[in-house]
Every structure is written in structure tokens, then in C-alpha cells.
Amino acid sequence: MTGGYGAADILKECTIGVDRGEIAVIVGPNGAGKSTAMKATFGMLPLREGHVMFDGEDISHLKPEERVVRGMGFVPQTHNVFTSMTVEENLEMGAFIREDDISDSIEQVFELFPILKEKRRQPAGELSGGQRQQVAVGRAMMTQPKVLLLDEPTAGVSPIVMDELFDRIIEIARTGVAILMVEQNAKQALEIADKGYVLVQGSNRFTDTGEALLANPDVRRSFLGG
Amino acid sequence: MNQTFFNQYRTPILYSVMALLLVIVGVGQGWSVAFTILNLCLISAIMSLGVNMQWGYAGLFNVGVMGFAALGGLAAVLVSMPPVEEARAAGGQGVLVGLLILIATIFVSIVAWKQFGAKSKKTGYWMLFIIIAAGYALMRLFFLPSVEAIEGVNPSVTGYLGGLGLPIILSWPVGMLFAAGAAYVIGKVALGLRSDYLAIATLGISEIVLYFIKNEEWLTRGVKNVNGLPRPVPYEVDLQQAAWFQQLAADWGMELAEASSLFVKVCYAGLFIAVIAILMYLSETALKSPWGRMMRAIRDNEVAAAAMGKDVVKRHLTIFVIGSAVIGLAGAMLTTLDGQFTPVGYQPLRFTFLIWVMVIIGGSGNNWGAVLGGFFIWFFWIEAEPIGLWLVDTLTSFMEPTHWLRLHLMDSAAHMRLMTVGIVLLIALRYAPEGLIPERTARKH
Amino acid sequence: MTDFINALVVLSNFILVPALTYGSQLALGALGVTLVYGVLRFSNFAHGEMMAFGTMITIFGTWGLQALGVSIAPLPTALLALPLGIVGAVALSLFLDKTVYKYHRQRKASPVIFLIVSIGLMFFIGGLVRFIIGPGDQIFFDGTRFIFSARDFKRSTGLDEGLALKMTQAVTIITAIIVVAAMFWFLNKTRTGKSMRAFSDNENLALLSGINPDRVVMITWILVGALATIAGTLYGLDKSFKPFSFMQLLLPIFAAAIVGGVGNPLGAIAGGYVIAFSEIAVTFAYKKVVTYLGPDSFQPDSLVQLLGTDYKIAVSFIILVIVLIVRPTGIFSGKTL
């Protein structure tokens, strides 16, 4: 089974894709269209050409909400939690489209992010930056997505917290979820990536495994600062 | 009519239509009626210009139009009425002392705030509270007995301090000042916050101004009204006795009484048109100047303008004060035209709303549109009553004259008018948000 | 000692009980304004007239029930007709949303445009109400007038001063408590209520979570229609129903919502009581109280009144201005439900 995507135009014929249980990372300089590529994947940007495939099905015409129902989860870069609501309520809202019992999923998120269990009754707006990101990821996990899109999950958190977040992301991927992630911290992100996409001006410049990209001297020189 | 032709000559065509409507009224209902409508149209147009400056140039929403207009009316009374010497003797001093205490209290509060508020807000607030409480108590000590004394002086005729006895034309700039002062205070408080706070705050200030002029009888006679304000134009009786006018009326082939009343109205119209012409010249010049461009730039993108180093709040305050001053001017003119000051007549929301409809229907951001809107809406507001009654009468003519539904409908026709204006506004906002004469540098949506 | 108790009784009778009643009415009104602000993000000037409309339907229901001879004495019949009024106000709200607001919402119009639209609707609804029921006073209260009257109180306590509790006052306060409790239960405990809060907090994220915005908007108007009708009916029972007075309630209601923090339901309630207590306490004549509390045979000449009753409305305004200067976000600094 393949979760594959192809987006185009504003992004000039750029192609990205990720498989189940894999982590794919999009890196590139500022203004390369990384976040745009992700938004296109999620349907927040009209495609002029190309299409988005999911489970072998063309979902290009679906609205973001409908894609959530199909099994896509999205964590925006900012404003990604309900600040006035408690951690638990945030998770509940994440599972809004589900009609079945969600307590198991909440437990799973709490297992993944134990700190959230402690703070379950606190408003998310009172948490630290790293904890907020955990809530944001946890919220997106609540729909039990097949693919999870993360827009710069480590923006504005300290290096230690970043490492921990990456560990968690690996854990999520191991449960069989496909993860597509845009990252500023290219080096660290590529280290955990199965696939890496280097975008420049909206087009694919390099596509390879994370390891290979890290080893590629061109990539190192241009995008990883030596 | 060719569509492009219409668009090209939109303004002159629409103004001609308006003129034609007035002529029709003149022929049908008499010229005196037509000029009465015209005069109020002109005043509405000035108010509409003021609102257009705030809304069209700067995107500020003022719900307190009637409050500012009432301040203009108050100016007319205070400037033009003869002073009541007896009342001044009875309580003038006490009121003056009270006012001085009030000013002193404000002054001391400001000084105290600067001294203590900077160091600790808490002490500052307490200081302010104590100073204001003490000042207020002291003021009332002098104020209340004097007020009672003033209101006791021949209450059925005067019972108030009167005015300065100056020519009433002078009250027009004074009305501007009054309104500008109130606008400055309210703008200082509410501008720079969320946009709807200004709306609510202006609603508040206009309510309070109206309560003030209704209740402070020593100043305004309150609900007893001030009648017989002096006029800037000749009186009918004088005209009727003047030989030259008798000759003129004979030349026109009109009756003396009718001719004199028409002549007075024409005089008013001339004055008002002069004011409108000056205002139009000034506001068109301002709009085309770099200042006007900057104002519109701020309106269209506050964030960008702020990023370019423009002090948005300060600019908004300027335009808010200027716009309110124009409304104050119109208020003073209205009271001058009426020849009396009737505080109960200012219905805060109702007429404010009418002015707003004028601006939006006319074309927000376009001065010619605002003036035209003032004309059109006032015209239909006045003519809607006979039209509505006629409509109800015709529609229910099959019923018996005493049928309850027919009677109810006849009684309620007046409310239909307000409802209709509401619907007109909603339709305009939806289908023609640009108005009759759109802003020339059309905003792209 | 008796003097002290007498003074307290005067204060309770003329400040505490009326302010609690009036405060409950304002709180319910402000709650409606705050809900619209929290979800739809504009200040709804039409709220006062919606209160009048709901109350009008309730009055028709009351008259109908009275004609049928239905009564729940000692309680006022209007309580029984309340559901009818709510249905009417909700139907009108939903109709107006569909025909008017929805278009501007889809175009993502600015809050000021919504505000102007709501003023247009205010005049539309206002005209409708005056057209149907007329601008005059309507008294639709029935049932027992007093739970206990001042005379009863004096007789049973032997004090010089009386404390009365009108049926309408008790009904208002109790209804307000029930409605507010139900409201908070709904917002904090039910899935739908939480989805409303989520939508109010972060619209985009709510959409991503699959929360249906149309449904949230619909539920908001249902709640607002219900709150408006209840607040309006309680006000009408306590004072009397006159379309004009609902227009006048607009400023105190807005003041209450802003003082508490617009968009914050808890703030709206606190704001309602703050405004009501200040309004009544500032315009109350303390002569009697001072006479009781002061030294013997001391009697002040004046009424000992801070501000004439005519300036009631100024009190809301002054509080509003103070809040805007000192703390523009309101006591509870709210922006979301």
C-alpha cells in the first residue's frame, strides 16, 4: 500500500511522497515552498495542475476537512492548539469526527506524551512551547490518521525538547503512520528521515534517503552549512 | 440609456434626477414644501459629509451622530439667546465656581496621575479616586443650590442662564468646537482598540449628551425647549412691511404671506449651499492631497501603514475630530433653521442610522456620493410617509374603513418607514456596497 | 443596633434586591452578546430588539393561555409561554442568519460591516415589533405580586423599615441561575458545547478537526435567541414591556459584556452585576441610611445622592470608559468562549 502524492504549479512540478511507517522530510532554503507544498498536500491551496493521491485514490478535489475524514492529520506551524481549552479537551476536539469511544486513543497519546497526562486539566495556552507542540501532535493523532503532516513541529523549541519531539515522531512512525514533515533544522531532521526532499524555488532539487542526502556534498554545502 | 454613457456622467445625471424630484414636489405640493425639503436635505448632506470623512476616509464607525449634532444645537442656544440677567444674578456665580472646581479637579487629577501614577499604578488610582470624589462633592456643594436658584427664575419663560446674545451665525463654528471637543475625548479613549469599541463608546457619549441637555435645565431649559432663536435671515413680518418686497411679490404674482415665507427659505438655502460649497471644496482638496492619500492607505491596510511608520491612532483621532466637528456644524445649522432647540427631538439611534444609510447609499469614500445620499435619503424619508399611507390605503381599500387590520396598518405605517430603511440598508450592503457614486479610486475586492 | 439593622434593610430593599434582579437581566443579555462575539466575532447591535421580539411572542402566548384559562399561579403565566417566545426568536434569528449574515460571512466581511448589518437588522426587527404589537406599554404579568411585602416584613420583624420581595424578582433571579448553570454545563461538558468553544478559540484548527462551522453558527443563534427571549421576558415581567426600553438596554448590555471581557461568558455575568449594582448604588438617595447610621437627631438636608436617577445610563458609560482606559480586555480578559 502506498500513500503517494504529487503537487504542482505554484510549486513547479514538485513531487513528494511518503509510505506507511516512513518519515519523509521536506527541507530547503527560506521561500522554497516547503510549507506551500505541505498545504497543497492537505488541500489548503488550490492545485492548478497535478494531483494528490492517497491510498491509490485521487483526493485532489477534497476539502481539508474531508481529507481528515479519509485519514490525514495536519499539525499547523502556529496556532495549532485551542489555547483556552484544557489538554484533554484539545484531544477530544481532535477526535471530533469520530463517533466511537475515544478513551483508548487518549490513553495512547498520554502514553506517548506522559507530561500531558499530568497537565490534562490545564488550559493548553498555559503550557510551555514544547508541551504545546506535544498537544498539537497529540490532537492530530486523535483521528488515528494514516498519514500525519507536520509543519515545522520544532519551531521555537529548545534543542533538548527538539530531540525529544523527534524521538516521539519516530515512535509514531513505528506504529505504522506515514509522516510528512517540513523542517528548518534540516540536519537533525534528515537524520531521522527515511526520505528527504530538498526543495528550491518550488521544485525538487534533490530526492533521496535522509542518510544519502546528509552524505551528499552538494546538499551539505548549499543547505546544511558545510 | 447606454450603460457606459451613464457611468461616465453618473454624477451629473444623478444630481439632475434629484433636482427633478424636487421640482416635481415644487410643482405638485408647492414650492414652499420643496424648499423645506431642500433645506433639510442640505443639512443632512453636511452631516453625511462628516460621517463620510470618518467612515469613507478612515473606516471609523460613529454611532453617536445625533449626540454631536445636539452639541451643535446647544451651541446655537448658548451663543444666540439673550442672557437672562436675573438668573445670572441668582446663580451665575455658583455655577461658575462649580465649573471652575470641575476644571481644577481635572487639572489636579492629571498632575497627580503624572506624579504618582508613573511610580505605582495602584497609588495613582487611589489618588485619582480621592481627588475626583472630593472635587465632585465640592462642586455639587456650589452647583446644586445655584442650579435651583436659576431654574426658579421665571420658570415658564426662562429658568435658565440664557446665552451670550451674539449673532447666531457665530454658533456654527462654536458648534464645531463643542463637537470636536467631545470627539477628542471619546476618540482618545476608544480609538486604537477594537473597531467596535468606538461604535459602542460613541453610542454611549451620544446618549449621555442627550440626557444632559434634557436634564440640565439651568443650561438648556431641558424638555421645556428654547423657542424663538434669533435668525440669520429676515423675518416674514418685516419683509411683508418692506416696500421693496411688496413690489417683488407683486412682480412674482404671489401672495405676500406666501412669498415672504418662500423668500426666507430661499435665504436659508443660499446660506446652506454656501457652507456646503466651502466644505466640498475643502474636503475634495484634502482628499486629493498627500494627506488624503495617506488616510485612505491607512484605511485599506492599517497594518502596512503602521509598518511604514504612520501613527494610525493619531491620524484616526484627527479625522474623527474633524468629521465630528462637521456634524456639530450641521447640528448648529439645523437648530438655526428650526428656530428652536428641542432636546427630545434628537433620537440618538434613529437619526444616526438615517445618516449612515445616506453615506452608504450615496457611496462611502466619495464626497459627491455622500451629499447625494443625504439628498436622496432625506427626500424619501420625508416623502415615504405620504407614499406609505397612500399605499396602505390603496391596498386595504377593499376592506371596510373600520376593519381592525386596516386601522392597525394605518396606525403602524410610521414604523414601516424605519423598517424599510433597515431593509434598504441591508440590500445596499449586499448588492451595491459601493453606493450610487462609488469612490473614484475603486477599491479592488 | 436596631438603627443599624434598619439601615441594612433599607439597603437590601432598595439596592441589593433590585440590583440582583436587574443584574440577572443584564447578565443574560450580555451572555447573548458575548456568544455572538465569541463565535461570529462582531458586536450585535440587534440583540436588544431580538429581546423585544422574543418577549413579544411570549406575550402573545401569555394572552393565549390566559384566554384559555390556563394558569400556573402563583407563578406568572408568561413562564409557560416562554418556550413559544424562544421558538419565535430562534426562528427569526436563523432566518436572518440565512438571508443576511451568511452572505457576508462567506465573503469574509470585516467585523465593522457585520456591525453595520446588525444595526440594519436592529431597525428591521424594531420596526417589525412596533408594527405588530405597537410602541405602547404592555403589562403581561399575572400571578402573585409579592412573595412577602414590606408590611409583612415589618410585622414579623418589628422593624421600622420593610423589605419586600416581588414574585418577578424571585423568578428573575432563580431563572437566571438555572439558565446560567445550564449554559455552562452545555459549553463545558457537552461535545457540541466544546466544539463551539473550540471554534471560538481557533477557527482554522476547528475546521481541521472536522468541526462543522455551519452547525456551530446555527447552535449559536439558537442559544442567542433563547437567551434574548428569556432576558427580555424577565425584564418585561419585572418592569413592563415597551419596545423602546429594549433599545435603551443596549448600552448597559454592551457595557456589561465589555467590562467582563467580550467573548467570555463568565465575564458577561460578572459584568451584568457590576453594571447593575453601580447603576443602582450610584443613583440611590442615601438620606434614610445616613439618618439611621449617623448620630442621633442628625438628619441630612439633601437626598445624599451621588447622581440623579436620570443619569443611570451615564453610569454604564463611565464604567465602560474606565474599563477601556484601564483594562481594555475586561476583567476576565476574554476573547473566546
Side-chain angles (χ1 to χ4, degrees):
Chain A
M1 191 190 72
T2 318
Y5 318 92
D9 202 30
I10 299 170
L11 313 151
K12 288 159 215 128
E13 289 169 20
C14 124
T15 308
I16 44 179
V18 62
D19 276 336
R20 205 169 191 195
E22 264 188 3
I23 299 177
V25 175
I26 309 175
V27 296
N30 281 336
K34 295 172 304 219
S35 287
T36 318
M38 178 154 284
K39 280 183 182 147
T41 316
F42 194 61
M44 289 159 77
L45 183 86
L47 288 184
R48 262 176 253 167
E49 241 175 75
H51 44 256
V52 181
M53 301 292 292
F54 181 76
D55 266 0
E57 210 183 318
D58 191 348
I59 56 162
S60 314
H61 59 282
L62 292 186
K63 281 192 254 171
E65 303 92 279
E66 293 164 330
R67 297 183 198 212
V68 174
V69 181
R70 292 294 175 97
M72 288 175 92
F74 179 57
V75 180
Q77 186 181 342
T78 53
H79 303 291
N80 51 18
V81 294
F82 299 113
T83 46
S84 65
M85 303 178 84
T86 66
V87 170
E88 204 167 9
E89 285 173 335
N90 264 280
L91 299 182
E92 265 178 64
M93 285 302 111
F96 191 78
I97 51 163
R98 286 174 56 186
E99 296 295 336
D100 52 331
D101 187 30
I102 56 165
S103 46
D104 283 352
S105 302
I106 291 189
E107 277 314 310
Q108 272 172 22
V109 172
F110 284 158
E111 258 168 54
L112 203 58
F113 305 116
I115 184 78
L116 297 189
K117 189 167 188 170
E118 272 174 46
K119 312 220 162 189
R120 61 200 292 174
R121 306 233 178 273
Q122 260 190 43
E126 292 173 6
L127 302 181
S128 72
Q131 290 164 350
R132 266 195 211 209
Q133 291 296 351
Q134 297 184 1
V135 176
V137 175
R139 188 203 61 84
M141 293 290 295
M142 289 299 295
T143 48
Q144 297 173 315
K146 292 178 190 143
V147 56
L148 191 58
L149 311 178
L150 305 172
D151 194 353
E152 302 202 13
T154 62
V157 302
S158 68
I160 302 169
V161 176
M162 180 175 81
D163 283 345
E164 195 184 319
L165 262 175
F166 279 149
D167 285 346
R168 300 287 171 250
I169 290 169
I170 296 171
E171 258 179 67
I172 295 171
R174 288 217 185 101
T175 61
V177 178
I179 289 178
L180 180 63
M181 176 162 86
V182 167
E183 258 301 332
Q184 283 285 346
N185 303 308
K187 211 179 211 167
Q188 293 87 333
L190 286 174
E191 275 166 12
I192 65 159
D194 297 299
K195 265 189 207 151
Y197 298 89
V198 180
L199 294 196
V200 177
Q201 291 180 339
S203 308
N204 293 96
R205 177 66 61 88
F206 301 99
T207 306
D208 213 325
T209 62
E211 235 171 294
L213 284 176
L214 280 174
N216 185 328
D218 278 347
V219 176
R220 289 185 72 92
R221 199 173 45 245
S222 328
F223 307 112
L224 302 177
Chain B
M1 197 190 295
N2 189 312
Q3 190 65 33
T4 47
F5 175 80
F6 177 73
N7 277 336
Q8 204 175 352
Y9 297 103
R10 208 179 178 105
T11 314
I13 290 172
L14 287 170
Y15 272 90
S16 314
V17 170
M18 189 62 233
L20 191 68
L21 285 174
L22 284 169
V23 170
I24 291 172
V25 170
V27 173
Q29 290 175 286
W31 287 101
S32 194
V33 177
F35 269 96
T36 308
I37 296 182
L38 173 69
N39 281 335
L40 284 168
C41 277
L42 287 165
I43 288 174
S44 308
I46 295 176
M47 287 197 193
S48 169
L49 264 180
V51 170
N52 186 43
M53 287 174 192
Q54 298 174 339
W55 170 245
Y57 294 15
L60 301 176
F61 193 66
N62 176 359
V63 193
V65 176
M66 272 310 121
F68 295 114
L71 284 175
L74 178 63
V77 170
L78 295 187
V79 169
S80 73
M81 285 309 277
V84 181
E85 296 302 345
E86 211 182 326
R88 293 205 170 179
Q93 261 186 333
V95 166
L96 201 65
V97 172
L99 282 182
L100 285 177
I101 292 172
L102 188 72
I103 294 167
T105 309
I106 294 171
F107 185 71
V108 173
S109 311
I110 294 171
V111 172
W113 178 248
K114 291 219 166 110
Q115 280 288 316
F116 299 94
K119 283 172 211 146
S120 143
K121 281 211 160 177
K122 213 168 175 182
T123 0
Y125 287 142
W126 277 112
M127 289 291 289
L128 275 190
F129 179 74
I130 292 166
I131 292 170
I132 291 173
Y136 184 71
L138 204 62
M139 185 196 84
R140 281 176 70 101
L141 207 61
F142 285 92
F143 220 59
L144 291 183
S146 320
V147 164
E148 219 165 297
I150 292 171
E151 287 173 5
V153 177
N154 201 358
S156 61
V157 185
T158 56
Y160 78 128
L161 278 176
L164 298 173
L166 296 169
I168 196 160
I169 291 273
L170 283 180
S171 75
W172 297 4
V174 175
M176 291 179 88
L177 280 180
F178 279 12
Y184 180 79
V185 173
I186 208 72
K188 261 297 199 210
V189 172
L191 284 172
L193 299 172
R194 270 183 20 211
S195 59
D196 34 0
Y197 281 0
L198 182 70
I200 296 167
T202 46
L203 171 70
I205 193 84
S206 73
E207 296 258 6
I208 287 176
V209 165
L210 295 173
Y211 271 86
F212 180 82
I213 59 172
K214 263 182 230 171
N215 285 302
E216 300 304 308
E217 291 187 1
W218 59 274
L219 190 67
T220 65
R221 294 200 81 219
V223 290
K224 289 188 286 186
N225 301 345
V226 180
N227 296 313
L229 265 69
R231 277 188 186 174
V233 296
Y235 285 84
E236 284 90 345
V237 263
D238 300 338
L239 283 176
Q240 284 162 15
Q241 275 154 15
W244 66 270
F245 189 78
Q246 287 167 350
Q247 182 60 43
L248 196 69
D251 289 350
W252 285 350
M254 288 170 97
E255 271 190 48
L256 202 54
E258 199 190 329
S260 63
S261 118
L262 188 60
F263 185 80
V264 168
K265 282 172 187 165
V266 174
C267 286
Y268 273 120
L271 266 179
F272 293 168
I273 288 173
V275 172
I276 277 212
I278 296 170
L279 277 179
M280 272 308 264
Y281 172 74
L282 290 177
S283 35
E284 282 292 280
T285 315
L287 196 61
K288 284 180 197 137
S289 70
W291 179 85
R293 277 201 296 278
M294 180 190 67
M295 289 310 302
R296 279 177 295 165
I298 292 176
R299 176 197 65 193
D300 291 340
N301 196 336
E302 275 184 33
V303 182
M308 282 159 67
K310 307 287 181 204
D311 187 343
V312 175
V313 177
K314 209 166 162 185
R315 306 291 166 195
H316 277 175
L317 187 60
T318 319
I319 196 75
F320 184 67
V321 168
I322 295 175
S324 302
V326 171
I327 299 169
L329 167 71
M333 290 166 67
L334 180 64
T335 307
T336 307
L337 176 67
D338 285 347
Q340 56 175 355
F341 183 60
T342 46
V344 199
Y346 297 93
Q347 282 161 326
L349 273 169
R350 197 168 288 188
F351 287 114
T352 297
F353 175 64
L354 210 56
I355 307 290
W356 266 94
V357 176
M358 291 171 186
V359 174
I360 288 169
I361 300 279
S364 28
N366 188 314
N367 292 317
W368 292 100
V371 169
L372 183 73
F375 271 82
F376 263 120
I377 298 300
W378 184 259
F379 182 82
F380 283 107
W381 177 252
I382 289 299
E383 291 292 321
E385 196 152 10
I387 296 174
L389 271 175
W390 173 80
L391 211 64
V392 171
D393 201 34
T394 321
L395 286 178
T396 59
S397 54
F398 64 91
M399 296 179 190
E400 278 178 49
T402 51
H403 191 279
W404 67 270
L405 185 62
R406 183 184 155 98
L407 289 177
H408 181 85
L409 286 173
M410 295 294 255
D411 277 350
S412 316
H415 308 301
M416 291 293 285
R417 192 159 73 153
L418 216 53
M419 210 159 101
T420 314
V421 181
I423 295 172
V424 166
L425 177 74
L426 293 175
I427 291 175
L429 279 173
R430 178 146 177 181
Y431 297 106
E434 307 263 271
L436 288 173
I437 307 180
E439 194 177 342
R440 256 151 299 176
T441 49
R443 269 181 277 177
K444 300 271 180 281
H445 285 287
Chain C
M1 190 61 205
T2 16
D3 277 356
F4 180 70
I5 294 174
N6 271 323
L8 270 185
V9 170
V10 172
L11 287 178
S12 309
N13 194 30
F14 292 104
I15 297 185
L16 184 67
V17 175
L20 273 179
T21 314
Y22 181 45
S24 305
Q25 291 151 3
L26 283 187
L28 290 178
L31 204 51
V33 166
T34 261
L35 276 185
V36 173
Y37 185 78
V39 175
L40 301 156
R41 296 176 215 294
F42 68 92
S43 302
N44 182 12
F45 271 67
H47 195 74
E49 297 297 348
M50 189 52 86
M51 284 165 68
F53 183 83
T55 312
M56 177 184 76
I57 305 283
T58 310
I59 290 176
F60 287 138
T62 312
W63 287 345
L65 289 172
Q66 284 168 345
L68 291 173
V70 181
S71 153
I72 47 169
L75 294 172
T77 317
L79 287 183
L80 213 57
L82 206 49
L84 184 73
I86 291 175
V87 169
V90 166
L92 183 65
S93 298
L94 290 177
F95 171 75
L96 293 177
D97 183 70
K98 205 174 157 68
T99 50
V100 180
Y101 287 122
K102 194 175 177 190
Y103 169 79
H104 297 282
R105 197 160 54 238
Q106 280 166 346
R107 293 189 67 229
K108 300 206 186 318
S110 70
V112 179
I113 296 291
F114 276 101
L115 201 154
I116 299 176
V117 168
S118 80
I119 292 189
L121 284 180
M122 167 178 162
F123 281 92
F124 173 72
I125 305 172
L128 196 67
V129 169
R130 287 163 179 77
F131 179 66
I132 299 175
I133 201 167
D137 246 322
Q138 309 286 350
I139 294 170
F140 60 109
F141 172 80
D142 55 6
T144 314
R145 187 141 212 99
F146 286 101
I147 290 182
F148 54 85
S149 70
R151 202 185 306 147
D152 295 341
F153 184 86
K154 280 189 211 164
R155 202 184 312 131
S156 56
T157 56
L159 289 168
D160 291 338
E161 291 299 330
L163 175 65
L165 184 64
K166 282 196 274 182
M167 177 55 89
T168 52
Q169 293 172 328
V171 165
T172 298
I173 295 168
I174 291 169
T175 313
I177 292 171
I178 294 171
V179 169
V180 167
M183 195 71 198
F184 277 86
W185 172 80
F186 175 77
L187 284 177
N188 291 310
K189 296 291 173 213
T190 66
R191 217 167 86 98
T192 315
K194 283 180 194 172
S195 75
M196 260 178 78
R197 282 168 55 216
F199 187 85
S200 155
D201 183 317
N202 187 336
E203 195 176 327
N204 285 329
L205 197 61
L207 293 179
L208 289 184
S209 306
I211 292 169
N212 181 352
D214 296 334
R215 209 176 112 85
V216 169
V217 169
M218 188 183 85
I219 290 165
T220 307
W221 284 119
I222 293 176
L223 291 176
V224 170
L227 282 170
T229 308
I230 296 171
T233 304
L234 292 177
Y235 185 82
L237 275 177
D238 189 36
K239 311 275 175 3
S240 77
F241 173 85
K242 196 178 181 190
F244 181 66
S245 57
F246 288 92
M247 211 166 179
Q248 299 230 297
L249 271 182
L250 205 56
L251 188 64
I253 285 179
F254 273 127
I258 292 176
V259 166
V262 198
N264 185 322
L266 202 65
I269 292 157
Y273 289 108
V274 167
I275 296 288
F277 268 95
S278 328
E279 216 173 79
I280 293 178
V282 170
T283 53
F284 178 66
Y286 289 91
K287 187 174 176 179
K288 250 185 181 173
V289 179
V290 175
T291 314
Y292 277 121
L293 293 183
D296 285 343
S297 73
F298 168 78
Q299 206 172 354
D301 299 331
S302 69
L303 289 170
V304 200
Q305 189 180 22
L306 284 171
L307 204 61
T309 345
D310 297 323
Y311 285 106
K312 244 190 205 160
I313 200 132
V315 178
S316 342
F317 181 71
I318 290 166
I319 295 174
L320 178 71
V321 166
I322 293 174
V323 167
L324 289 187
I325 294 172
V326 177
R327 197 180 158 91
T329 50
I331 307 172
F332 288 89
S333 52
K335 221 196 228 154
T336 56
L337 296 182

